Amino acid sequence: MLAASAASIAAPVAPAYAAAPAEHIEGRLPSGAVYVMDKPVDWNGTVVLFSHGYRPAGTPLAAQNAPDDATKALLLEKGYALIGSSYATNGWAVADAVPDQLATLDVFTGRVGPARRTIAWGMSYGGLVTTAIAERHPERIDGSLSTCGLVHGGVANWNNTLDPVFALKTLLAPGSSVDLAGFPDQASAAAASGTLSTAVAGAQATPEGRARIALAAALHDIPGWNATSQPKPAPDDWNAQQANQYQALQGLLALPAFIWRQEAESRAGGNMSWNTGVDYTKMLRRSPVFKEVTELYHDAGLSLKNDLRALNRAPRISADPAAVDWMSRTSAFTGRLRKPQLDIHTTGDALVPVQTESAYRRATTAAGSSSRLRQAYVDNAGHCTFSPAEQMAALHTLEKRLSSGHWQGTDPASLNATAAGADPTTPARYIPYRPAPYPRPYDLAHPADGR
């Protein structure tokens, strides 16, 4: 019965349009962004507007209209038209991305005709772009799907990126003059990245250093299993979990915390992050990896209380109000959803921790639109490591909400059954899960927070 139900959910909508030749269209928008479109022969009348993830500034522009080749093939086979653009620039380009994506939708409509249904789908940073479209331009879409998205928004993202590097500098390089924000150029950001990365690598060789690295990881909610290349540690294997977190932290230091931050600061016109007024003792106690930190400190014979006191007494970093205002206006969320949105997230994500979903739930609840949001979780390590089946299940579940007017089949068993019906060749790993509170949420539904 489950299989039959899944098959009915996963079945493509009967074609609403006369058969026409398949089309592959590429072009360039007036902004300079490039786009790509694929319309299958038996178009089912639904167009998927796909927003791609973060790409570093200076890399070539490239359009993308699906999350991966395997999922793209399934989507086209089921009759979906797929469209998506690069953005006019790469980097923290949300101010370019939203208008470029909407312009791409205009091009599709002008060339192919109006769609029966439009679904915005974004992955990673593209989840931020998609959620921005959903909140600011709900009339352009029927629903939205965010996969591993930055649904906590830009201000919270950069604050949460600051916290672990602040802890690493304070505890592992207290005499260093390394800057953590306010970089004048990429060279200075790269130098700071190298200095702190070297200090962390040295600390990893000692029990005391490893305990402090685990503390920094906890402030970013980095899980102890965060890459598919890592064997999954036992729940109480603190050393294996810490070794995995160390790898993720070095990745954070290499790019997001310094190089990508500087690029975002250049757009914002200054430093958009702060930790003034933050109580790191309270933040650590709310972390899902708090137990690991206490055990590693105990094993190292180190005082966690003293280190937390050092963090709370260290000179803090203040934000540039104009930069916070820019980041808030372009990249923070109100929580006001006018159309249904489904979010899915892996539980072992180190780059965009699963707790970001708690942040957006908080915003939609305050805005009175939480009934339009549903969130589901996949038991896997890594950032955006979904199978094609899991992604197709999310899309079909959102479509069912759009057709029926109410949510159904969002529980793990139903999602897994839908996934199996959509693609039995790849895993279905939805599980019951409730993420911990996000460490430092910031949204426009709570305008006084953090100011």
Side-chain angles (χ1 to χ4, degrees), residues 162-234:
L162 175 66
D163 292 323
V165 295
F166 178 79
L168 292 172
K169 177 188 175 181
T170 302
L171 300 177
L172 301 182
S176 169
S177 60
V178 64
D179 291 323
L180 303 180
F183 303 106
D185 50 42
Q186 286 278 284
S188 60
S193 169
T195 298
L196 199 53
S197 180
T198 299
V200 172
Q204 183 66 11
T206 68
E208 296 83 2
R210 290 192 291 272
R212 287 167 169 155
I213 290 169
L215 168 57
L219 299 179
H220 192 61
D221 281 345
I222 294 175
W225 183 47
N226 56 71
T228 55
S229 59
Q230 300 165 344
K232 188 174 185 178

Side-chain angles (χ1 to χ4, degrees), residues 20-290:
E23 293 186 71
H24 176 81
I25 306 166
E26 297 184 16
R28 186 176 296 273
L29 298 172
S31 69
V34 294
Y35 60 80
V36 61
M37 305 176 181
D38 287 288
K39 183 183 78 67
V41 172
D42 293 323
W43 179 32
N44 65 18
T46 296
V47 61
V48 173
L49 176 64
F50 183 79
S51 298
H52 68 70
Y54 185 89
R55 293 175 182 165
T59 55
L61 300 181
Q64 184 176 343
N65 62 358
D68 55 76
D69 290 343
T71 305
K72 180 174 182 175
L74 287 170
L75 289 165
L76 292 173
E77 178 186 329
K78 298 298 183 182
Y80 297 92
L82 310 177
I83 68 175
S85 73
S86 72
Y87 314 138
T89 58
N90 284 327
W92 194 264
V94 65
D96 297 328
V98 172
D100 285 337
Q101 286 290 80
L102 296 178
T104 300
L105 183 57
D106 289 337
V107 173
F108 177 83
T109 302
R111 176 150 182 171
V112 176
R116 177 183 57 82
R117 177 178 284 169
T118 300
I119 294 175
W121 179 345
M123 176 169 277
S124 188
Y125 175 80
L128 183 148
V129 175
T130 288
T131 305
I133 292 172
E135 287 198 357
R136 300 171 190 173
H137 304 279
E139 74 286 354
R140 301 300 305 276
I141 63 172
D142 295 286
S144 48
L145 173 61
S146 170
T147 57
C148 53
L150 281 76
V151 292
H152 52 329
V155 176
N157 175 76
W158 293 112
N159 275 346
N160 192 224
T161 305
L162 175 66
D163 292 323
V165 295
F166 178 79
L168 292 172
K169 177 188 175 181
T170 302
L171 300 177
L172 301 182
S176 169
S177 60
V178 64
D179 291 323
L180 303 180
F183 303 106
D185 50 42
Q186 286 278 284
S188 60
S193 169
T195 298
L196 199 53
S197 180
T198 299
V200 172
Q204 183 66 11
T206 68
E208 296 83 2
R210 290 192 291 272
R212 287 167 169 155
I213 290 169
L215 168 57
L219 299 179
H220 192 61
D221 281 345
I222 294 175
W225 183 47
N226 56 71
T228 55
S229 59
Q230 300 165 344
K232 188 174 185 178
D236 59 351
D237 190 344
W238 315 120
N239 290 314
Q241 293 178 37
Q242 191 278 336
N244 293 342
Q245 292 166 328
Y246 166 73
Q247 294 177 19
L249 269 176
Q250 285 289 32
L252 187 76
L253 294 174
L255 289 172
F258 293 98
I259 304 298
W260 295 356
R261 171 183 288 280
Q262 190 279 330
E263 193 278 336
E265 288 181 346
S266 70
R267 291 178 184 265
N271 171 33
M272 59 281 176
S273 302
W274 69 91
N275 65 353
T276 51
V278 174
D279 186 331
Y280 284 111
T281 300
K282 290 182 178 179
M283 186 184 293
L284 176 64
R285 290 187 179 278
R286 292 194 297 266
S287 172
V289 294
F290 174 62

Side-chain angles (χ1 to χ4, degrees), residues 407-431:
W407 290 106
Q408 52 188 304
T410 58
D411 60 285
S414 296
L415 284 163
N416 286 330
T418 304
D423 176 23
T425 68
T426 59
R429 299 160 293 190
Y430 285 98
I431 61 167

Side-chain angles (χ1 to χ4, degrees), residues 349-396:
D349 193 336
L351 184 61
V352 183
V354 67
Q355 287 76 22
T356 59
E357 299 295 341
S358 295
Y360 197 53
R361 169 64 64 181
R362 170 183 185 262
T364 58
T365 299
S369 62
S370 61
S371 63
R372 296 188 180 94
L373 176 70
R374 287 295 182 274
Q375 296 161 310
Y377 303 97
V378 169
D379 184 26
N380 200 25
H383 181 53
C384 304
T385 52
F386 306 108
S387 71
E390 290 158 351
Q391 295 177 93
M392 294 297 291
L395 176 62
H396 291 322

